[in-house]
């Protein structure tokens, strides 16, 4: 791609692009009084409900490389990471606002439309209406910033702060998949593509391992927000957080907000099969991918009762594992290994840590 602006984008202009966005969106949330086109959207929320608001951005070169996944997956992920925050409150997503920074050069209108199509597909899947946004030229890479509004029954949103000593700690899905998928992308593998000839393939890596790597790449590029699980957990979770930075650090937030200690058992952590394969291939510690990899977007929650019957009804097919317990000790996260040895867990992703 050349270093000048795509002529199609130049012809369309900022307001033409907004017009395109406006044409493509569908209104799925019944409270849309006024959507795109005015100075602000007008949105109605039902009595007895509270408004949830969250925002997360994806920056080219920090969170993604455009050559990795294609625009459609990127658009989906932009919304999905925000949906995951609403899921972690037990909420229902309603409206999204999209901040779009389009690189001054190096992207085509067709690529921008792919991103928008992915975002719309994800919005469609969860009944979300794109109600507005902002569009600018970016002097660095592509900037995708979503603000998501949702709702929860008044007084019921599940906070990080409610965990009680004696609660069990549970996690949905499998961990380490997203970090493993990122490693695979960095090694040159691509989603749905055959093994690239320029990447040396270990002789032990058979079709089953390759399928596990592909599942990990999907987990990284198109995480599935655990919305139905989060809503079902309104019935039993005392505290909840979604796993965006790695369970080592996210569990730390939960235990500090709840003023409790958290103990994990290493052998109970549900390891993504792709993490096992990528750890073996790259020499990384699989436990490090599981604990500190980040971007799994699974739900970590505390519950005084067994959540499995509730999740079997609310989110059928989603696995859930009991990985530890809440205790009255100091607000730190410890990990007990199979040998009984216990260590305090630190780490997880931090944007401002040197080398991140
Ligand atoms: P203002 O100058 O009043 O902020 P804008 O010209 O930025 O208004 O936006 C006009 C309308 O288009 C608004 O309704 C805004 O929410 C919407 N809009 C702008 N950019 C986007 C976008 N990327 N996605 C969705 N809606 C957008
Ligand atoms: Mg205005």
């Amino acid at each position: 791609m050349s270093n000048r602006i795509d002529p199609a984008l130049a012809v369309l202009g900022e307001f033409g692009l907004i017009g395109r966005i406006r044409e493509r969106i569908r209104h799925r949330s019944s409270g849309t009084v006024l959507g795109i086109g005015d100075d602000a959207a007008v949105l109605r929320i039902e009595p007895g409900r509270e408004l949830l608001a969250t925002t997360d951005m994806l920056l080219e070169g920090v969170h993604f490389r455009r050559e990795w996944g294609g625009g459609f997956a990127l658009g989906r992920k932009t919304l999905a990471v925000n949906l995951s925050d609403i899921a972690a409150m037990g909420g229902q997503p309603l409206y999204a606002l999209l901040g779009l920074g389009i690189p001054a050069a190096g992207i085509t209108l067709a690529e921008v439309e792919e991103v928008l199509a992915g975002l719309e597909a994800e919005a469609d899947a969860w009944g979300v209406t794109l109600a507005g946004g902002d569009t600018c030229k970016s002097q660095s890479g592509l900037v995708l910033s979503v603000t998501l509004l949702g709702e929860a029954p008044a007084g019921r949103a599940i906070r990080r702060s409610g965990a009680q000593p004696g609660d069990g700690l549970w996690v949905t899905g499998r961990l380490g998949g997203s970090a493993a998928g990122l490693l695979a992308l960095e090694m040159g593998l691509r989603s749905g593509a055959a093994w690239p000839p320029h990447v040396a393939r270990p002789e032990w890596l058979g079709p089953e391992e390759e399928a596990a790597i592909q599942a990990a790449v999907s987990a990284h590029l198109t995480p599935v927000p655990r919305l139905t699980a989060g809503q079902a957990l309104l019935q039993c979770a005392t505290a909840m957080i979604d796993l965006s930075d790695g369970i080592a650090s996210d569990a730390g937030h939960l235990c500090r907000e709840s003023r409790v200690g958290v103990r994990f058992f290493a052998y109970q952590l549900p390891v993504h099969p792709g993490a096992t394969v990528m750890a073996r291939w790259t020499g990384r510690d699989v436990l490090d991918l599981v604990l500190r990899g980040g971007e799994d977007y699974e739900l970590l929650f505390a519950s005084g009762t067994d959540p499995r019957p509730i999740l079997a009804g609310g989110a059928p097919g989603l696995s859930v594992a009991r990985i530890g317990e809440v205790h009255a000790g100091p607000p730190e996260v410890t990990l007990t290994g199979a040998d009984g040895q216990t260590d305090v867990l630190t780490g997880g992703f931090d944007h401002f840590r040197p080398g991140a």
Side-chain angles (χ1 to χ4, degrees):
M1 186 66 213
S2 75
N3 60 355
R4 62 192 188 92
I5 196 154
D6 177 12
L9 256 174
V11 167
L12 198 58
E14 175 191 339
F15 296 104
L17 181 59
I18 295 173
R20 285 273 173 101
I21 295 173
R22 192 172 178 176
E23 278 161 28
R24 82 161 47 245
I25 73 121
R26 297 222 332 264
H27 290 269
R28 307 175 184 89
S29 313
S30 59
T32 316
V33 180
L34 187 61
I36 291 179
D38 215 305
D39 292 307
V42 180
L43 310 169
R44 189 178 330 117
I45 73 159
E46 301 300 321
R49 314 280 282 177
E50 282 169 345
L51 189 65
L52 308 176
T54 182
T55 188
D56 258 311
M57 51 182 163
L58 294 190
L59 304 180
E60 184 173 356
V62 176
H63 298 96
F64 65 90
R65 295 192 191 288
R66 255 188 288 143
E67 65 270 20
W68 280 355
F72 191 84
L74 188 57
R76 282 189 62 184
K77 183 170 180 176
T78 303
L79 189 56
V81 301
N82 283 276
L83 290 164
S84 178
D85 281 319
I86 297 292
M89 305 301 288
Q92 169 76 36
L94 296 173
Y95 306 101
L97 301 162
L98 172 65
L100 203 50
I102 310 271
I107 194 166
T108 62
L109 175 61
E111 287 174 291
V112 174
E113 296 221 69
E114 271 288 291
V115 174
L116 294 170
L119 193 135
E120 267 293 285
E122 192 72 10
D124 198 35
W126 301 106
V128 170
T129 300
L130 184 64
D134 195 26
T135 306
C136 304
K137 180 166 78 178
S138 159
Q139 291 298 0
S140 51
L142 180 62
V143 177
L144 297 163
S145 172
V146 164
T147 298
L148 186 62
L149 305 177
E151 62 175 18
R156 298 277 315 282
I158 307 166
R159 304 170 186 215
R160 295 176 177 182
S161 56
Q164 301 289 330
D167 284 352
L169 267 177
W170 300 78
V171 73
T172 60
R174 298 186 174 278
L175 305 179
S178 183
L182 177 60
L183 281 176
L185 289 163
E186 286 172 345
M187 303 278 288
L189 274 63
R190 291 293 172 266
S191 175
W195 196 275
H198 64 278
V199 180
R201 180 177 180 137
E203 91 296 336
W204 53 265
L205 204 151
E208 200 178 317
E209 287 78 18
E210 193 173 346
I213 295 177
Q214 279 296 329
V217 170
S218 297
H220 182 76
L221 295 177
T222 46
V224 179
R226 302 305 186 192
L227 277 161
T228 51
Q231 286 167 18
L233 288 168
L234 282 169
Q235 296 173 59
C236 69
T238 54
M240 183 149 66
I241 186 169
D242 71 318
L243 298 177
S244 52
D245 296 330
I247 196 166
S249 106
D250 291 324
H253 298 307
L254 189 140
C255 76
R256 282 186 298 277
E257 294 297 324
S258 293
R259 300 164 192 264
V260 292
V262 155
R263 182 183 302 125
F264 290 136
F265 302 104
Y267 45 91
Q268 290 176 353
L269 292 167
V271 180
H272 192 288
T276 309
V277 175
M278 288 310 296
R280 180 170 178 198
W281 185 16
T282 61
R284 290 275 299 260
D285 178 5
V286 66
L287 207 52
D288 197 50
L289 296 179
V290 166
L291 296 170
R292 302 187 185 81
E295 291 211 90
D296 281 321
Y297 297 108
E298 297 294 348
L299 296 175
L300 171 71
F301 61 95
S303 176
T305 57
D306 186 343
R308 285 173 292 191
I310 289 166
L311 284 176
L318 177 64
S319 63
V320 58
R322 191 181 194 281
I323 59 169
E325 59 202 17
V326 178
H327 60 86
E332 56 187 24
V333 185
T334 57
L335 181 73
T336 302
D339 55 3
Q341 191 187 322
T342 296
D343 296 305
V344 175
L345 275 186
T346 55
F349 188 77
D350 177 337
H351 274 276
F352 298 117
R353 194 181 52 205

